[in-house]
Amino acid sequence: MNRIIPSLSRRRFLLGATAMGLHPFTLHAASDQVHLRLIETTDVHVHLLAYDYYADQPVDTVGLARTASLIEQVRAEAGGGEGTLLLDAGDFLQGSPLGDYAVRAAPRDAPHPVMAAMNALGYDAAAIGNHEFNYGLDFLTHALAGARFPVLCANVLRGTIPAAPPLFTPYILLDRHLRDGAGQTHILRVGVIGFVPPQIMRWDHHHLTGKVMAIDILAAAERYLPEMRERGADLIIALAHTGIGSARAHAGMENAAVPLARMPLIDGALLGHSHRVFPGPDYRGFRAVDIDAGTVSGTPAVMAGFWGSHMGLIDLLLGRDGGRWRILASESVARPIATAQRPSRALVPSAPSVRRAVHKAHTGALAYLRRPVGTSQAPLHSYFALVAPSTAVALINQAQAWSVRTHLAGTAWQDWPVLSAAAPFRVGYGGPENYTDIPAGAITMRNLADLYRYPNTVQALDINGAVLRAWLERSASMFARLIPRETEQTLIDPRFRAYNFDVISGVRYQIDLSKPARYHPRGGLVNKTARRDTAHRIVDLRFADRPVTNEDRFVLATNSFRASGGGRFPVGDHRVILRTPETNRRAIERYVQAHQGIMATHHDTWSLRAMPGTSAVFTTGPGAARYAARSGLALTELGLNRAGYLRYRLDL
């Protein structure tokens, strides 16, 4: 199908909308012209209701129930379901305490709450996302059995050879009966094909190795797109759990949207994975991306944020020409469920259909999450976890090390020193309220979900001192380089994802920010020649009060994501010596139960090296003000920014 015809401006169709709410493409369609609406959700991550399970209270900014109200509006504007397709681009089964409840405590004969909600909304298809594999293939199969819609993925194979059949249905052909501007009905056959990043083989290595094989997204598209056209697809839509990244195609791309949308047989792209919004300013300046036209490589595209924050919508005006349909004009938009300013305000109510579908699971999850498992003598919070040792991260590290020591008893490693690597998870990603803040006292299952969000499992590595130092250098790439004796510099590199900021307990070290970063915020050496020998931020690295040498050997407790290469850490000369079926959260639960009245201490594991006369600025949640005086940091409060985060100046 041809790309958008430049002479047909979108603006022409944005005029003349009536009080009926009909879209201009419908109002102005001529004979042999039809209007199709593609509705997208993505990266819902089991955020089904407008509820924050971590804070145990309603919230305005998340929830498929609110997105559902927008979906119902679009369907009403289209005169019913025939003029629309409702599609999800993946990552729906994991990511909230409700999802954890569905795995650990919900009745096995009950439908998964995500399937119940999506069935209630009448989805036409969904793509598999990478987090769908987090709980293993057996649970995934069980959960998807309750779906009353096809679940698609073209690039994961059932087996370990390229000739193996697909594990899921690769694509689906859906017929829509659409009326043209003259009132005549046409059958439009829409092909929808699903994709997932092939990196699942690394991220969920322990679940997938030896069972399935993930191939390149573009290679899978080349295999199936001609077949879809041969089977009569008038229009082919990529339902792709992949983000907008490099315009240059290469094998094994994680964010392959630009070259994928460039493929001649792709007519539209519904994207996800990146937790961003398209069209939107996040992608201004990207090659082959037009945020005003809403296109990627000239192809209509949309990405609907995350956690139900937006509904993605592509409107297509299609014309019949020479026996084939082609796109005459398109419009892409991501509609929010809440205002952007803080405090946010809901723009739409929650749809009763979704609330009813998940009410029983929601009630069960609340009872499960409110169950106490132990107590803590100190508050556990993450407000300053990116600038100083944190009690929240310390508890994770203590629990992991304790679990590994237990599992290694009676082995050749039982007397080795055990270090532990953990990163903070809730440090403002998604909003200024998204920080761990657990007061001293009872610790509940909800608190454990707050501390550790992912269903990783405990693993342990045999590493040497060189690997340890490189691991810490990778973490230290989170920080911007500071110029000595300059003030109010930016402290955190915004390109760095905080879940890659591993703190390693069992050793002590400092981070010298006058030095350049050795690694790029997304991994890999910044400069493989010029900086190989000069860029070292980790200084005074000590174990048991003596300097660590490259030849020292340690056991490092970590998680399955990191042990299998997640985060692009330079693990170098290492080997996995322990793979347990125990999740990291379960290890924390057992540790808390075994150490009632715990006092999570951080033992001054790490610090930023002093730089007299130098200061930097960082942001955190407003709740940090309660703990600032006890942080031990030289802080000056600078007030709230426009997004609602609290700004601090840190004197080094």
Side-chain angles (χ1 to χ4, degrees), residues 40 42 88-90 127-128 193-197 217 237-243 257 260 269-273 303:
E40 186 213 37
T42 188
D88 185 90
I128 287 290
I193 182 168
F195 302 102
V196 70
I217 289 175
I237 305 300
L239 188 57
H241 191 76
T242 189
L260 179 65
L270 306 185
L271 308 171
H273 185 55
M303 186 189 301

Side-chain angles (χ1 to χ4, degrees), residues 78-93:
E82 275 296 299
T84 64
L85 286 176
L86 176 57
L87 305 165
D88 185 90
D91 271 9
F92 44 78
L93 281 183

Side-chain angles (χ1 to χ4, degrees), residues 45 90 93 109 152 165 206 253 419 477 493 495 499-500 546 563 566 588 614:
H45 287 286
L93 281 183
D109 58 350
L152 311 175
H206 56 300
M253 293 183 78
L419 312 181
S477 64
D493 189 324
R495 298 170 297 173
Y499 55 72
N500 285 327
R546 65 170 180 80
I588 301 169
T614 307

